[in-house]
């Protein structure tokens, strides 16, 4: 009698594992002209070159993958008279798993496991030692950060004829006092005396594992989703060898209700969202960031964040749900910024390599925490947090965070390095609120029928092209270089260009991702048009927005606004904070500058940028120059001040800045602030409300 492995309990278990996580057994997307059948060839053709300003080109190589027919394994059951499945066919064990020597299994009540011996007359004697038959079907190891090693046990319940499965830490099975906890799962075992049922069960399980060591599957476990260490599996989309063990209720909820696949009609999904993508470059770009998240590790790019910053009603939430719907249920996966730091870190840690979404950053008043999250995404790890049991495992994340806010988080952070980590878009996602409502209704209906399916196909597509990942990485590097080359002759300040170059590393991810998406799904996205508009919007937002320049404008504006009261020898306060010599220099006490920078939320590293750009002038010995100022009524003294060269100020701010509002903000307003010494008030122009 032959045995087909595709009809075996082991193979069916794998299918059940996938079905239990709503993962349909689907093949990678095929081009329209591909063959069908078991020997079809999936051919990934060369993508059309992308021309950005007729210069930027990224080429995706072609790949041919032969789908191999799996060999049917024949097992002769006649050669295994002591096979476990002969005694209990319902056990989900390896077809060649055998009952240990000197044991027998039975489905009869009270005779589940018997000890077999030979009498003096040569006849076999079967002595029941345990009520119910039991076997080890798998071992879960904690190889990839999962829990301690666990055993998967299956026992036969004779009262209802059902096979039941339990998963326990292996440590429980090593002591008679702890193995009795199996009673909690319906397997009766007692411990009274040396030769108790507990002692006999421990010995039986040891003998079973020794006899079947090579036939008990060892399944690696992990606490996180995303790429496996070998990058041949991506949890939960493509899985088989690794089991996910959520740490807590929130992770379990994300696994069971968030990152799940619903529906099988990919073409219906594509045709529904295609008009939305073709109508909005912002929606297209943000949607692409969801697919870019698992691609980052392939391209060798650290994680980063993208933020939609726009007033309410123009579709920020709609776009976030569009993006997250590619990998699961968007109603579960789009989280609020207004949450505890631990909750957000847990969300990011569990969702490794997958896109994540947080909405309404403006509702979270803890700007330090928002900064920490953006830095965590870029650096790949969070803070070490203590607990009664010691330090918790440091959370890690390597993916893309899609944020939304009504006011730009980047402006609230005021740290220049944030530009390497955060891609801010202020462009309207959709043209009007009527369009937003229309698309919101369409997506709500779609996601009730289909979600997570596109992400499943995307991961299959990436893995099927693994042999060409190196070429994709080179395409990314080429795209970065082309963007940098185009930027060299652009009409921006050097300070802004430095900041824009950092953004090019993020924007180039979109260039490669959109092309691959077109190949995988045939979206028909105009990559050149989309990326040109996105790059133009990003550059326009960053024009004159580098933190050192913004901070410089604030300092200069403060001095000019308070010239007569604080920067003139004729000051009536008896305290002069600096000197203004139009056409020559602007000098200010260093402590005043630092006070204003810290009050404005700027990092003091902007001083290093001013020095590097030659804005700050020094004596020949490298010290701050001495300049005479009033230090009391009728008293003057030379003090070392920070001296800003007038010509350099005109280069970095604008010509004639002394005669205009240097903040250049039509919304600027005059506000009262405390003097740097904390005594009295002065007036200055402020471009943002407190």
């Amino acid at each position: 009698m032959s045995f087909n492995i595709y009809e075996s309990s082991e193979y069916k278990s794998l299918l059940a594992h996938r079905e239990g996580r709503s993962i349909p057994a689907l093949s990678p997307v095929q081009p329209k002209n591909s063959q069908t059948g078991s020997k079809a060839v999936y051919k990934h053709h060369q993508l059309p070159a992308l021309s950005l300003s007729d210069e930027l080109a990224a080429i995706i190589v072609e790949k041919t993958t032969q789908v191999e027919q799996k060999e049917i394994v024949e097992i002769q059951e006649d050669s295994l008279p002591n096979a476990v499945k002969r005694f209990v066919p319902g056990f989900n064990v390896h077809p060649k798993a055998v009952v240990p020597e000197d044991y027998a299994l039975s489905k009869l009540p009270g005779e589940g496991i018997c000890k077999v011996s030979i009498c003096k007359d040569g006849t076999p004697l079967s002595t029941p030692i345990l009520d119910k038959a039991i076997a080890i079907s798998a071992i879960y190891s904690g190889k990839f950060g999962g829990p301690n090693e666990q055993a998967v046990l299956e026992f036969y319940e004779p009262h209802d004829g059902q096979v039941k499965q339990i998963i326990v830490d292996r440590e429980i099975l090593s002591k008679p006092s702890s193995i009795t906890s199996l009673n909690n799962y319906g397997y009766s075992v007692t411990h009274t005396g040396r030769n108790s049922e507990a002692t006999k069960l421990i010995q039986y399980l040891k003998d079973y594992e020794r006899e079947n060591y090579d036939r008990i599957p060892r399944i690696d476990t992990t606490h996180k989703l995303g790429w496996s260490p070998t990058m041949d599996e991506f949890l939960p989309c493509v899985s088989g060898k690794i089991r996910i063990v959520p740490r807590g209720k929130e992770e379990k909820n994300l696994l069971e209700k968030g990152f799940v696949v619903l529906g099988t009609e990919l073409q219906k999904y594509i045709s529904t969202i295609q008009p939305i993508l073709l109508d909005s470059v912002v929606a297209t770009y943000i949607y692409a960031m969801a697919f870019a998240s698992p691609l980052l590790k392939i391209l060798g790019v650290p994680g980063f964040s993208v933020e939609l910053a726009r007033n309410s009603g123009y579709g920020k939430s709609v776009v976030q749900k569009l993006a997250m719907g590619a990998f699961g249920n968007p109603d579960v996966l789009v989280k609020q910024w207004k949450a505890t730091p631990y909750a957000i870190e847990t969300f990011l840690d569990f969702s490794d390599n997958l896109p994540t979404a947080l909405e309404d950053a403006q509702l979270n008043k803890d700007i330090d925490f928002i900064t920490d999250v953006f830095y965590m995404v870029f650096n790949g790890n969070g803070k070490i947090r203590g607990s009664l049991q010691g330090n918790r495992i440091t959370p890690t994340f390597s993916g893309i965070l899609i944020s939304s806010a009504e006011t730009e988080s980047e402006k609230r952070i005021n740290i220049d390095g944030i530009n390497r980590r955060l891609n801010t878009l202020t462009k309207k996602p959709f043209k009007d609120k009527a369009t937003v409502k229309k698309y919101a209704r369409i997506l709500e209906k779609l996601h009730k029928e289909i979600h997570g399916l596109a992400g499943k196909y995307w991961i299959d597509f990436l893995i099927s092209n693994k042999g060409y990942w190196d070429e994709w990485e080179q395409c990314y590097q080429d795209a970065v270089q082309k963007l940098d080359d185009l930027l060299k002759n652009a009409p921006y300040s050097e300070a802004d260009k430095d900041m824009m170059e950092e953004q090019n590393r993020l924007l180039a991810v979109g260039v490669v991702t959109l092309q691959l998406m077109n190949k995988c799904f045939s979206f028909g996205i105009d990559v050149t048009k989309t990326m040109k508009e996105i790059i133009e919007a990003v550059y326009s937002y960053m024009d004159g927005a580098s933190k050192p320049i913004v901070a410089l404008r604030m300092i200069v504006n403060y001095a000019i606004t308070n010239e007569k009261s604080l920067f003139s020898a004729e000051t009536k306060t008896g305290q002069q904070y600096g000197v203004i010599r139009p056409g020559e220099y602007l000098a200010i006490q260093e402590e005043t500058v630092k006070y204003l920078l810290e009050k404005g939320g700027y990092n003091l590293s902007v001083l290093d940028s001013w020095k590097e750009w030659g804005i700050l002038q020094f004596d020949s010995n490298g010290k701050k120059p001495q300049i005479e100022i009033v230090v009391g009524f009728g008293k003057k003294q030379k003090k070392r001040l920070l001296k800003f060269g007038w010509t350099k100020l005109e280069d970095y701010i604008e010509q004639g800045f002394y005669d205009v509002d240097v903040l250049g903000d039509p919304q600027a307003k005059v506000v009262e602030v405390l003097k740097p010494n904390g005594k009295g008030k002065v007036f200055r122009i402020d471009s943002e409300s407190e």
Side-chain angles (χ1 to χ4, degrees):
M1 178 179 177
S2 63
F3 182 81
N4 187 332
I5 198 168
Y6 290 105
E7 297 297 325
S8 71
S9 59
E10 186 178 43
Y11 182 74
K12 291 178 179 178
S13 174
L14 175 60
L15 294 182
H17 173 75
R18 296 175 65 87
E19 291 172 359
R21 286 163 175 73
S22 302
I23 305 174
L26 301 171
S27 302
V29 179
Q30 304 179 39
K32 294 179 180 178
N33 60 354
S34 63
Q35 304 171 41
T36 57
S38 61
K39 296 185 178 181
V41 175
Y42 298 158
K43 192 168 185 179
H44 302 281
H45 298 279
Q46 181 173 319
L47 297 184
L50 168 65
S51 175
L52 187 58
S53 299
D54 299 321
E55 293 185 46
L56 178 61
I59 301 172
I60 306 302
V61 297
E62 76 172 24
K63 181 198 176 202
T64 301
T65 303
Q66 181 68 45
V67 177
E68 298 179 358
Q69 180 69 36
K70 292 186 178 180
E71 179 184 358
I72 302 297
V73 180
E74 302 291 337
I75 299 177
Q76 298 297 324
E77 283 190 341
D78 293 341
S79 64
L80 299 172
N82 61 338
V84 173
K85 293 180 76 67
R86 281 185 173 274
F87 295 93
V88 187
F91 274 172
N92 183 28
V93 296
H94 192 281
K96 288 187 176 182
V98 296
V99 179
E101 187 177 0
D102 297 334
Y103 288 95
L105 299 183
S106 170
K107 295 196 293 183
L108 295 176
E111 301 180 16
I113 301 177
C114 298
K115 189 71 174 176
V116 179
S117 58
I118 304 297
C119 297
K120 291 182 179 180
D121 60 3
T123 59
L125 176 65
S126 181
T127 305
I129 60 172
L130 291 161
D131 289 348
K132 301 173 185 178
I134 193 169
I136 303 173
S137 61
I139 299 294
Y140 291 150
S141 79
K143 183 176 179 181
F144 301 131
N148 296 330
E149 199 164 82
Q150 296 176 308
V152 182
L153 306 177
E154 298 195 359
F155 68 90
Y156 180 79
E157 181 56 73
H159 300 293
D160 58 14
Q162 299 295 314
V163 172
K164 299 183 179 180
Q165 185 185 85
I166 53 178
I167 302 173
V168 295
D169 289 344
R170 295 199 65 178
E171 185 180 3
I172 289 176
L173 307 180
S174 63
K175 299 176 183 178
S177 58
S178 58
I179 201 170
T180 55
S181 63
L182 295 183
N183 285 294
N184 298 329
Y185 302 95
Y187 189 88
S188 300
V189 56
T190 60
H191 175 47
T192 53
R194 286 187 175 183
N195 199 28
S196 66
E197 290 181 339
T199 303
K200 294 174 183 177
L201 178 57
I202 290 173
Q203 187 60 51
Y204 164 76
L205 291 175
K206 285 181 179 178
D207 294 340
Y208 184 97
E209 183 174 5
R210 183 176 59 250
E211 191 76 31
N212 295 287
Y213 188 86
D214 293 334
R215 306 180 191 101
I216 299 175
R218 261 68 182 173
I219 302 173
D220 296 322
T221 57
T222 179
H223 283 311
K224 297 165 66 73
L225 304 181
W227 287 110
S228 66
T230 55
M231 293 188 72
D232 55 1
E233 291 187 48
F234 190 97
L235 307 171
C237 302
V238 175
S239 175
K241 301 176 185 176
I242 301 176
R243 177 176 178 261
I244 307 166
V245 183
R247 282 196 182 101
K249 292 181 179 179
E250 177 58 25
E251 292 96 326
K252 185 178 181 182
N253 183 62
L254 287 169
L255 182 62
E256 296 178 351
K257 299 179 181 179
F259 292 109
V260 294
V261 176
L262 174 66
T264 58
E265 298 180 74
L266 181 67
Q267 193 52 52
K268 178 180 179 180
Y269 173 83
I270 292 173
S271 62
T272 302
I273 69 167
Q274 200 169 28
I276 302 176
L277 300 180
L278 298 180
D279 189 39
S280 169
V281 296
V282 173
T284 300
Y285 181 70
I286 297 299
Y287 183 66
M289 291 300 99
F291 294 95
S293 197
L295 188 60
L296 293 183
K297 198 168 184 179
I298 296 172
L299 301 181
V301 181
F304 61 91
S305 304
V306 180
E307 183 169 84
L308 271 172
R310 193 75 197 184
N311 52 314
S312 180
Y314 285 97
K316 299 188 300 294
S317 296
V318 173
V319 173
Q320 284 182 301
K321 287 189 175 184
L322 169 67
M324 297 309 296
F327 283 87
N329 184 351
D331 291 336
V332 175
L333 296 179
V334 178
K335 304 288 186 179
Q336 288 285 328
W337 266 108
K338 195 174 182 180
T340 65
Y342 181 69
I344 291 179
E345 285 185 356
T346 299
F347 176 41
L348 294 173
D349 180 57
F350 183 66
S351 310
D352 202 18
N353 305 128
L354 283 158
T356 52
L358 295 172
E359 62 178 346
D360 294 329
Q362 77 280 356
L363 298 181
N364 192 321
K365 304 304 180 183
D366 188 351
I367 193 60
D368 290 336
F369 170 64
I370 292 178
T371 303
D372 287 344
V373 170
F374 287 140
Y375 271 74
M376 172 189 171
V377 171
F378 180 79
N379 296 329
N381 55 70
K383 291 183 176 180
I384 297 175
R385 297 186 183 275
S387 68
L388 294 176
Q389 293 74 36
N391 288 336
R392 296 192 184 106
I393 296 174
T394 304
T396 60
F397 176 72
S398 178
I400 294 178
L401 167 62
I402 301 171
S403 172
S404 71
E406 292 190 8
T407 57
E408 302 94 314
S409 296
E410 181 264 343
K411 285 188 176 180
R412 296 170 65 196
I413 291 172
N414 280 340
I415 298 177
D416 203 33
I418 198 66
N419 296 304
R420 293 192 296 274
R421 302 159 173 84
L422 177 61
N423 183 203
T424 301
L425 278 176
T426 57
K427 187 180 178 69
K428 286 194 303 186
F430 301 105
K431 60 184 179 181
D432 53 45
K433 295 183 180 182
T435 303
V436 172
K437 291 180 180 179
K438 179 179 76 171
Y439 289 149
R441 288 193 295 268
I442 291 173
L443 289 176
E444 183 179 8
K445 181 180 178 181
L446 174 67
H447 289 146
K448 286 181 179 179
E449 300 175 8
I450 304 170
H451 57 242
L453 184 61
K456 167 69 178 73
Y457 270 85
W458 175 250
I459 298 301
D460 282 341
F461 174 80
L462 296 182
I463 292 176
S464 72
N465 284 280
K466 188 173 183 179
Y468 288 83
W469 288 358
D470 289 343
E471 280 81 356
W472 294 358
E473 183 179 0
Q474 186 57 54
C475 289
Y476 165 75
Q477 297 294 342
D478 291 344
V480 171
Q481 187 59 55
K482 289 294 184 181
L483 287 174
D484 286 349
D485 290 344
L486 291 170
L487 187 59
K488 288 177 181 178
N489 297 321
Y492 302 112
S493 71
E494 291 304 314
D496 290 338
K497 285 182 180 180
D498 289 343
M499 192 167 56
M500 291 170 183
E501 280 191 359
E502 299 289 359
Q503 289 287 297
N504 285 346
R505 279 117 192 94
L506 314 184
L507 293 166
V509 171
V511 172
V512 178
T513 304
L514 284 169
Q515 290 193 84
L516 287 171
M517 287 168 59
N518 272 344
K519 190 58 199 172
C520 182
F521 301 107
S522 300
F523 280 132
I525 297 167
D526 187 332
V527 181
T528 301
K529 176 180 179 296
T530 299
M531 288 311 302
K532 282 181 70 174
E533 290 193 32
I534 293 297
I535 291 169
E536 181 181 306
V538 170
Y539 284 4
S540 177
Y541 172 74
M542 304 187 83
D543 185 10
S546 73
K547 294 305 177 187
I549 298 300
V550 175
L552 182 65
R553 287 198 187 100
M554 185 267 290
I555 295 295
V556 172
N557 180 73
Y558 176 86
I560 294 174
T561 305
N562 297 288
E563 181 177 6
K564 289 184 179 181
S565 59
L566 298 177
F567 288 82
S568 169
E570 300 174 359
T571 175
K572 295 180 181 180
T573 65
Q575 185 69 43
Q576 188 177 355
Y577 291 102
V579 177
I580 298 177
R581 294 285 183 267
E584 297 180 35
Y585 64 83
L586 165 64
I588 311 178
Q589 294 186 56
E590 185 172 2
E591 57 268 28
T592 299
V593 172
K594 289 183 176 179
Y595 170 85
L596 292 170
L597 289 175
E598 290 175 348
K599 184 178 183 300
Y602 295 96
N603 193 294
L604 295 182
S605 63
V606 299
L607 292 167
D608 296 327
S609 298
W610 298 343
K611 183 177 179 179
E612 180 184 342
W613 298 339
I615 296 173
L616 293 178
Q617 298 180 348
F618 298 89
D619 288 343
S620 57
N621 59 7
K623 294 183 178 180
K624 297 190 295 291
Q626 289 189 334
I627 299 173
E628 187 177 77
I629 60 173
V630 174
V631 294
F633 290 107
K635 185 179 179 180
K636 294 184 179 181
Q637 181 181 334
K638 282 191 175 183
K639 280 197 166 188
R640 294 194 181 276
L641 308 180
L642 289 177
K643 185 179 179 181
F644 298 78
W646 200 269
T647 302
K648 285 292 185 179
L649 289 177
E650 290 189 324
D651 288 343
Y652 281 91
I653 297 178
E654 67 174 304
Q655 293 288 329
F657 69 87
Y658 183 64
D659 300 314
V660 299
D661 171 16
V662 296
L663 289 177
D665 188 344
Q667 301 301 319
K669 60 182 181 180
V670 177
V671 297
E672 277 189 329
V673 296
L674 286 175
K675 291 182 181 179
N677 63 7
K679 298 177 181 179
K681 295 184 178 180
V682 293
F683 293 95
R684 59 164 288 203
I685 298 176
D686 200 343
S687 61
E688 292 185 20
S689 59
E690 292 293 332

